[in-house]
Amino acid sequence: MPTVDDILEEVSEFGRFQKQAFLTLCLLSAAFAPIYVGIVFLAFTPDHRCLSPGVAELSRRCGWSLAEELNYTVPGPGAMGEAFPRQCRGYEVDWNRSALSCVDPLAGLATNRSHLPLGPCRHGWVYDTHGSSIVTEFNLVCDDSWKVDLFQSCVNLGFFLGSLGVGYIADRFGRKLCLLATSLISAVLGVLMAAAQDYPSLLLFRLLQGLVSKGSWTSGYVLITEFVGLGYRRTVAILYQMAFTVGLLLLSGVAYAIPHWRWLQLAISLPAFLSLLCYWCVPESPRWLLSQKRNTQVIKIMDHIAQKNGKSPLADLKMLSLQEDVTEKLSPSFADLFRTPHLRKYTFILMYLWFTSSVLYQGLIMHVGATGGNLYLDFFYSALVEFPAAFIILATTDRCGLIRPLAASNLVAGAACFVMVFLSHDLHWLNITAACVGRMGITIVFQMVCLVNAELYPTFISGAGPGCRGNDAAPPRDRTGHLARDHRGCGKPREDSKAQRKHDLPSDPNIRTHWHLRETLRWD
């Protein structure tokens, strides 16, 4: 009885149909990048100082240059060179007094400026920028600077909460339906963010966008890996994530061209509507349909793939089967991830790896925006290191598996971050270099977590799995051969006979889930 992989071998594992679907879904992956790290440009904090109408009038009367105005009216750095008093405090002086001279106006009020009282910025701030950001529009500085962190925390909270529900929806109602619904909602919410008139509304839209946007990216990841053959599955999964990197590079260029945050938010939200092309270009996953006993639709889709790839329709399509499947329809449950000791162990490990890599990845990107150099170029350079990270994965995993490169990359990322603690902020290029090395290491970890997750969980719970929740959907023969080598380390795959593999397959779905992990990860 042929499986989906057997049919894909005959109709082309990566033919014209798969390439078209892959390019379409890559648009979705690239469009997700601004949602994930767009805060670097949407909420950048420029140099700022207290706004004082009296200072502005005095400056015009005296004909001061900007440098003279700053020297005469703005407090100097605080203790240990801190800039807080300069940015968040102003002299408590009546700048409208006619007795103030144009040459050092504060000299007649105190022999030493440090003796003059300082007060909060009562009239707002002046920002040294030709554009605008969320920070400059809503004055998220000084005592309200924590609201910038809250803005990004909301989308991360949305990612977490959404991963619990969207993954279940993808497994329960289909990958394509989940992808289309979440992509449309995410795009609409992005447009609403561009039109938000107050900070609470902006925060609400950001949270809701986080709830659906990660699910949209994940659904695309799952779909493309389930449409290609075994020989291309890992490569396609990595290239799909490289499309995210392309989105980062494009983001730096668009942000440079559009320095006003509302227009920038609109510009990065509109391309998300292109993901609706998936309705016509990408059908539902045949593997998921088989797990739901919808064999008639599977036959139509596989026949369409054959025609698109220039192959003649296959006569044995009606005999299609999914070796992961059983006699009854399988329903996903979040509890399936913790049903057996092995499942619990690896689920917790992947959840920990996903959490740490996500935090570190975002942290390194935010660090680039705080180094004080050219924000756009620094962001562009640091994004480029993700390409060699992908090539390292492609070059090492087939020879040494996933575990060793994963551990080595974690060590590299950790060491780079440890070194950055002791680097002075004045050493700009050294800081950027260390950040790029750390980012390359954590990018490898991030992508490998997706691959490990994809190769551990069977089809019907792949969407509910931790991490990227991708799905390799490989049949048992692949799990006992190729993947067993991957997690054991460098070596040759085990060659089990087809009859033996079929004989080893348990019938109970709960035992089957445990069997998949045992066979995938056994070291003997």
Side-chain angles (χ1 to χ4, degrees), residues 40-49 66 70 125-139 141 255-256 258-261 375-376:
V40 173
F41 302 107
L42 293 172
F44 74 91
T45 303
D47 290 335
H48 52 278
R49 60 187 184 278
L66 178 60
L70 295 178
W125 286 263
V126 176
Y127 299 96
D128 297 330
T129 177
H130 67 284
S132 67
S133 72
I134 295 170
V135 171
T136 63
E137 181 163 336
F138 298 109
N139 289 324
V141 293
Y256 178 78
I258 308 176
H260 299 280
W261 81 269
L375 175 61
Y376 306 99

Side-chain angles (χ1 to χ4, degrees), residues 413-427:
C417 291
F418 181 77
V419 169
M420 288 167 60
V421 174
F422 302 98
L423 294 179
S424 170
H425 288 287
D426 296 331
L427 303 174

Side-chain angles (χ1 to χ4, degrees), residues 215-439:
S216 175
W217 186 90
T218 302
S219 298
Y221 183 95
V222 172
L223 264 176
I224 194 57
T225 56
E226 292 183 344
F227 271 123
V228 300
L230 296 176
Y232 293 89
R233 195 162 298 151
R234 181 174 295 174
T235 302
V236 165
I238 295 173
L239 292 178
Y240 178 79
Q241 296 182 76
M242 288 181 67
F244 175 87
T245 305
V246 173
L248 295 178
L249 298 177
L250 293 176
L251 173 62
S252 61
V254 173
Y256 178 78
I258 308 176
H260 299 280
W261 81 269
R262 289 189 183 274
W263 289 108
L264 175 61
Q265 175 62 34
L266 187 63
I268 63 180
S269 298
L270 292 179
F273 286 101
L274 294 176
S275 60
L276 298 180
L277 293 173
C278 295
Y279 180 83
W280 296 278
C281 301
V282 183
E284 182 56 87
S285 165
R287 301 176 191 277
W288 178 82
L289 290 172
L290 274 177
S291 72
Q292 302 301 303
K293 292 300 179 182
R294 293 160 65 174
N295 293 27
T296 303
Q297 291 177 257
V298 176
I299 294 173
K300 292 181 180 179
I301 292 174
M302 298 305 293
D303 185 60
H304 171 71
I305 294 176
Q307 294 181 14
K308 198 77 172 179
N309 290 342
K311 304 290 184 178
S312 57
L314 303 177
D316 55 352
L317 278 178
K318 293 184 178 180
M319 301 296 292
L320 260 177
S321 71
L322 183 67
Q323 290 189 0
E324 287 183 353
D325 206 357
V326 287
T327 55
E328 72 273 9
K329 174 181 174 181
L330 295 176
S331 298
S333 170
F334 189 74
D336 290 326
L337 301 174
F338 307 92
R339 195 171 299 278
T340 67
H342 278 80
L343 275 171
R344 287 192 293 272
K345 174 183 176 181
Y346 296 114
T347 295
F348 283 128
I349 290 175
L350 283 174
M351 291 175 69
Y352 175 77
L353 287 174
W354 177 82
F355 173 78
T356 54
S357 59
S358 297
V359 171
L360 190 54
Y361 182 80
Q362 280 196 17
L364 288 171
I365 291 179
M366 302 307 167
H367 176 76
V368 170
T371 54
N374 188 308
L375 175 61
Y376 306 99
L377 286 179
D378 291 345
F379 187 90
F380 184 85
Y381 295 148
S382 63
L384 286 177
V385 303
E386 296 194 9
F387 289 106
F391 292 133
I392 289 173
I393 296 175
L394 291 172
T396 59
T397 52
D398 283 339
R399 295 184 178 184
C400 297
L402 297 174
I403 299 303
R404 292 180 182 179
L406 179 67
S409 300
N410 260 315
L411 289 175
V412 169
C417 291
F418 181 77
V419 169
M420 288 167 60
V421 174
F422 302 98
L423 294 179
S424 170
H425 288 287
D426 296 331
L427 303 174
H428 174 69
W429 281 106
L430 194 56
N431 268 282
I432 291 297
T433 301
C436 287
V437 172
R439 183 165 171 181

